[in-house]
Each structure stands twice: as C-alpha cells, then as structure tokens.
Amino acid sequence: MVLTLTVNGDHRASVADPVTPLVDVLREEFHLTGAKPVCREGFCGACMVLVNDKPTPSCLMPVALAQGSDIRTVEGLGSGGTLTAIQAALEACDAVQCGMCFPGMVVTLTHLLATSPEATRDEIRAALSGNICRCTGYERIVDATLSALAVK
Ligand code: FES
Ligand code: FES
C-alpha cells in the first residue's frame, strides 16, 4: 500500500506501515530530520510539526492519518536559506544551547507568531508548555519571541 502525503508543499509517497509514526516517515523515508523522536509519548515537543497549520506531535500521529493534510516541518518554514523571523530572533538572542528541542520550538513559535501577534510573556510561556527544553531557563526563548513579535 502506498500512502500519499503533502510535506512542505511537495507530494510524497510512503511505503511505510500505516501505523508508523509520522516522525519516523519524515526522518527515515524523506530525510527530513528536524523533527526529533525524543520521548515518543507526546509531552516533549521535539517532534512538533504543523499539520494543517496546527502544532502537532508527529510521534503520536500514525502516518495514515496524515494523508490529506498539509504537513509542514521545520525545514519547510524558511525559503531559499533565509531565516524566518523567529529563527533570526532566536539566533540574535543567543537562545539555542544543545539545539535538540529547537526544531519543535520553532514550529510552535511560528504558529504563535501567525496566530497571536499581541502575545504576552505569559502567553508565550503557555504556548511553549508542550515544548520541553532541558538546557535553558526559557527566558531567552521568550525574549526572542517578544522581539520577533515587536518587528512584525
Ligand atoms: S517525541 Fe513527540 S512529543 Fe516527544
Ligand atoms: S537547547 Fe538543549 S534541549 Fe533545548
């Protein structure tokens, strides 16, 4: 059985078992390794992708359920090697440490910038409740998000 997916605007075919987690298909078949399978239980956010513009843990989604949806991974957020506003702000604020959590953070914060242009510090922290970072105190991430919102 061949599954058809739309990933970063491209139509892709997968021969994976339909119950395979989407994150594994993205990484192993399509070589999109930004999303990270860390907890595989839906609580760390390292595997976050946008499914129909909504941040979604790709470790919990069987690939068959992703058919017919618009899937966007961190690789598909910028264009032509240009950083997005949130990527540039995270870099400028020196927010990234080991980097394991950041593809998921960027996906969640991209959604926040698009949907909550007036977000407060507390609202940013709430939006990140599903993204766990073991390295930072989150303050630089929140600062970077506020600065990205300020220049929108
Ligand atoms: S690996 Fe998916 S939420 Fe942690
Ligand atoms: S920067 Fe290391 S887990 Fe977030």
Side-chain angles (χ1 to χ4, degrees):
M1 177 180 181
V2 176
L3 302 168
T4 53
L5 302 171
T6 304
V7 183
N8 298 333
D10 296 328
H11 297 298
R12 311 289 294 258
S14 168
V15 295
D17 188 299
V19 298
T20 305
L22 176 60
V23 65
D24 294 328
V25 173
L26 293 173
R27 291 175 60 84
E28 291 165 23
E29 278 195 74
F30 302 158
H31 308 295
L32 296 167
T33 55
K36 307 277 188 281
V38 176
C39 71
R40 290 188 176 275
E41 293 181 351
F43 76 85
C44 80
C47 66
M48 205 71 86
V49 298
L50 295 175
V51 177
N52 295 333
D53 293 326
K54 187 165 178 275
T56 304
S58 59
C59 67
L60 295 184
M61 175 171 267
V63 64
L65 291 186
Q67 289 193 109
S69 297
D70 178 37
I71 301 157
R72 198 153 293 271
T73 69
V74 70
E75 291 90 345
L77 297 180
S79 63
T82 306
L83 296 181
T84 65
I86 189 62
Q87 288 170 329
L90 289 165
E91 183 179 51
C93 291
D94 199 19
V96 184
Q97 293 193 33
C98 85
M100 179 65 86
C101 69
F102 266 85
M105 291 270 182
V106 167
V107 167
T108 296
L109 292 172
T110 296
H111 176 259
L112 178 87
L113 260 63
T115 58
S116 303
E118 308 291 330
T120 64
R121 181 171 286 273
D122 283 348
E123 288 166 342
I124 295 167
R125 293 187 74 90
L128 288 174
S129 61
N131 291 82
I132 306 301
C133 177
R134 66 181 179 180
C135 298
T136 78
Y138 294 90
E139 289 309 303
R140 286 188 200 172
I141 299 169
V142 176
D143 290 345
T145 307
L146 286 169
S147 74
L149 286 168
V151 298
K152 276 199 83 186

